[in-house]
Amino acid sequence: MNLSPDKQREMLRQMLTIRRFEERASADYHAGKIYGVVHCYIGEEAVAVGVCSALETGDQIISTHRGHGHCIAKGADLNRMMAELYGRQGGYCKGKGGSMHIADFGIGMLGANGIVAGGISIVTGAGLAAQMDGNERVAVSFFGDGASNAGPFHECLNIAAAWKLPMLYICENNMYAAQTAAAATHAMPDVAGRAAGYGIPGIVVDGNDIFAVYQAAARAVVRARAGEGPTLIECKTYRWRAHTERVGQPDFRTPGEIESWKAKDPITRLSAQLIAQGSMTDADAKAMDDEVQASIAASVAFAEASPFPTPEQALDDMYAA
Amino acid sequence: MREITYAQAGVEAVAEEMRADPRIFYMSTDPIMPLVKEFGEKRVKATPIAEAALTGISIGAAGSGYRPIMDWRQVTFSFVAMDQIVNQAAKIHYMFGGQRTFPILYRANVGGGTRLAAQHCQCPYSMFMNLSGLKMFLPSTPYDLKGLLKTAIRDNNPVISFESNRLLASKGPVPEEDYAIPLGVADIKRKGSDVTVVAIAWLVHEALAAAEELAKSGISVEVVDPRTLVPLDAEAIRASVRKTGRLVIADEAGPTAGFSAEVAAVVTEDPATFAGLKAPVRRVCALNVPIPYSPQLEDHVFPDRKRIIAGIRDVLDGARPARSA
Ligand SMILES: Cc1ncc(C[n+]2csc(CCOP(=O)(O)OP(=O)(O)O)c2C)c(N)n1
Ligand SMILES: [Mg+2]
């Protein structure tokens, strides 16, 4: 794997951006400035960044209810993201979407989705479009372990395999669907094992090892661009925070389990690696964090300066012209 | 003018639009052979039986620059794709702030008369009418079907074409020349002055037969076919009712929260139209049961010209209470 030091530092920066963005989103949610619900991706950053680092502009992804990480990894604008969480006109969806529905079609981010497994078929359609275009673009579906038990996952894997669609199916197995342990709901421990049923490669990777994720994704991208069809990649990872930021939610996970995964923090891991191999210094790491923090603060300022939608705007964008 | 069937009108509309626009492709678990022949298996795809996936795939392909047509065949099969219809297709344009257009045509056959019993005979269009974000129509003639389909395929939103099982083999005049019918415009299928019958699909023909019958006894019936369900041409319906002062609504679906209820509401909530009503509005709908198999049962459950005539006589008498059903 020959990733330039620049690219490796960029991967670190993106993971850090996701972490800091969500720390702020969580705080602002609890401060009452962000409404409804926020699902944090903290702890899983290596999956989104590892996969998206293997993509080109023009490749398309779709996300889940836990979508901030995928947005940032695909290159979304923090200002418009934060403004969307704040429910403002300047948000990606003009304040109509919120955390569960951020999209930026311009950068190939086809949307977070409030329905578990809801995005899998949509992005498979983007893969079909890429195949019909013949432009060697790929499409990537991010989804959880919980979503892998839903019908559209199976329907889409079969179709993508049968039609050799240029797809990556990325299962983010964080071991839980809300409060329910995957161990209690999955017939087989590895979601990747299901690939055998569709005659496609199914790969398990350490989802907290960004280079392992990157490598698996890069191989799957080569296969997809060559017209050989989809790959299912299961990234074993863990979310640090509760399922959502809503107050008073049960969380049956043990403190010991949570702590053991915090010890496998993908960000600490990559930054230690970069420092050890001489790609950056402690001071560089600190400077990077300061810059990221500044960009988050700027996004909050942008959001706060953006007006709320006017009531009449509720009727805008009903139908396309 | 030449005559073709309702089913042929559908194929012609799709074929003409596919010739004109290479971004259109067609998906069905059971593809239409003349389309496969002309356009090949790449553009007319025989799909796995996976309506949920395919309904969603249509959305993703539409958002990526294509203009997919997804043929659910019987509306029955769309129910396995409810998430993709309700949560995704209907909302994706609005929810993401109008970032992309999603030009999709979904086709679905509806209605009874086929002796296929409860799961394959149904008229659930009002379930879809209730969703903000979709457009839909249910034509009664080959001419209307072709013209509306052409508009729908050119529309930049998800549109559902409901097509009547009972009318697939029926023939009607369809010009050779290109034409399109705008969505949201009703058609007066027969002019009259005593009572308005708003009917859709097969019941337009039953209403016309009823009108013919009643004309013999000097009763003049106006038959209004809205053709499009969403957006509904409320003004054309109100204008007719203001003229006649009486309204009967005929629908092959059951009455509860149905198309017929919507028509009754748009008429009665308009002050001028309400003021002109000489009798209570009367609905002639299917009975509120799943459609049974035996012909004796099925034919009893669905409304027909006899019940439309009875309904018209009721509103002309004025005082008689609505029968249950
Ligand atoms: C079809 C559907 N059922 C239930 C829910 C409620 N729900 C939201 S997130 C979630 C858990 C999803 O788990 P998983 O797919 O593993 O993703 P994770 O939250 O772990 O990232 C559930 C049950 C939903 N949004 N959609
Ligand atoms: Mg999970």
Side-chain angles (χ1 to χ4, degrees), chain A:
Chain A
M1 188 189 60
N2 26 18
L3 284 169
S4 70
D6 274 350
K7 175 119 180 176
Q8 295 182 26
R9 280 191 294 266
E10 178 53 26
M11 290 162 99
L12 178 63
R13 171 194 297 278
Q14 286 182 16
M15 287 203 289
L16 205 51
T17 306
I18 296 169
R19 172 98 26 120
R20 299 296 182 226
F21 182 91
E22 290 203 327
E23 285 169 355
R24 185 62 193 252
S26 164
D28 288 0
Y29 175 83
H30 294 290
K33 295 178 183 174
I34 293 172
Y35 319 99
V37 72
V38 164
H39 300 81
C40 284
Y41 194 63
I42 291 175
E44 308 183 23
E45 296 92 341
V47 179
V49 177
V51 171
C52 290
S53 298
L55 303 180
E56 306 282 340
T57 328
D59 293 330
Q60 294 181 294
I61 68 164
I62 215 159
S63 175
T64 67
H65 53 287
R66 201 175 300 289
H68 311 138
H70 309 126
C71 277
I72 292 170
K74 194 70 173 75
D77 175 36
L78 299 181
N79 292 355
R80 295 180 69 198
M81 283 182 69
M82 194 61 89
E84 189 58 37
L85 299 193
Y86 269 65
R88 307 300 173 108
Q89 279 186 20
Y92 264 119
C93 311
K94 306 174 191 168
K96 293 223 173 80
S99 170
M100 279 194 293
H101 308 299
I102 299 186
D104 183 351
F105 282 78
I107 61 166
M109 159 56 192
L110 307 187
N113 207 302
I115 307 302
V116 170
I120 302 178
S121 60
I122 298 175
V123 75
T124 301
L128 174 62
Q131 183 187 62
M132 292 191 296
D133 284 339
N135 61 8
E136 297 192 5
R137 293 292 171 221
V138 305
V140 181
S141 184
F142 289 99
F143 56 92
D145 47 287
S148 75
N149 291 332
F153 166 82
H154 298 277
E155 293 191 11
C156 288
L157 257 69
N158 178 60
I159 290 175
W163 292 354
K164 291 200 183 324
L165 298 183
M167 295 292 310
L168 274 64
Y169 292 97
I170 310 291
C171 179
E172 310 184 305
N173 188 346
N174 59 12
M175 298 168 49
Y176 293 87
Q179 277 62 254
T180 306
T185 52
H186 289 236
M188 293 197 299
D190 289 344
V191 172
R194 299 175 185 190
Y198 305 108
I200 62 170
I203 293 150
V204 179
V205 297
D206 174 353
N208 285 25
D209 177 349
I210 192 163
F211 295 135
V213 173
Y214 171 83
Q215 248 175 340
R219 266 193 225 110
V221 166
V222 169
R223 172 179 150 83
R225 293 205 206 287
E228 289 163 20
T231 302
L232 171 61
I233 300 173
E234 177 184 8
C235 303
K236 306 273 193 191
T237 185
Y238 200 80
R239 70 172 148 74
W240 290 9
R241 299 187 61 82
H243 172 53
T244 80
E245 291 302 305
R246 266 200 300 256
V247 181
Q249 251 191 140
D251 189 348
F252 303 115
R253 303 174 309 165
T254 63
E257 183 179 283
I258 298 171
E259 286 315 309
S260 76
W261 278 92
K262 284 189 176 171
K264 295 186 247 181
D265 178 10
I267 294 179
T268 315
R269 187 164 166 177
L270 177 58
S271 96
Q273 251 174 291
L274 292 185
I275 290 166
Q277 75 196 28
S279 300
M280 64 184 222
T281 63
D282 283 327
D284 294 337
K286 170 83 175 62
M288 181 187 283
D289 198 15
D290 288 346
E291 277 170 40
V292 167
Q293 293 278 24
S295 68
I296 303 302
S299 76
V300 171
F302 176 88
E304 281 178 338
S306 176
F308 280 105
T310 62
E312 306 76 52
Q313 286 173 334
L315 299 181
D316 290 351
D317 295 318
M318 237 348 267
Y319 292 109

Side-chain angles (χ1 to χ4, degrees), chain B residues 30 73 201 221 250:
Chain B
D30 198 8
R73 305 171 61 239
V221 177

Side-chain angles (χ1 to χ4, degrees), chain B residues 10 13 15 20 27-28 62 65 79 109 112 119 139 156 160 187 198 211 215 227 236 241-242 247 252 273 314 320:
Chain B
M27 295 194 289
S28 171
F79 293 137
N109 288 354
Q119 292 178 336
N156 280 328
I160 303 176
D187 186 40
V198 172
R227 304 192 289 195
V241 175
R242 282 197 296 271
L247 174 62
E252 219 181 323
T273 312
D314 282 353
R320 216 182 291 169

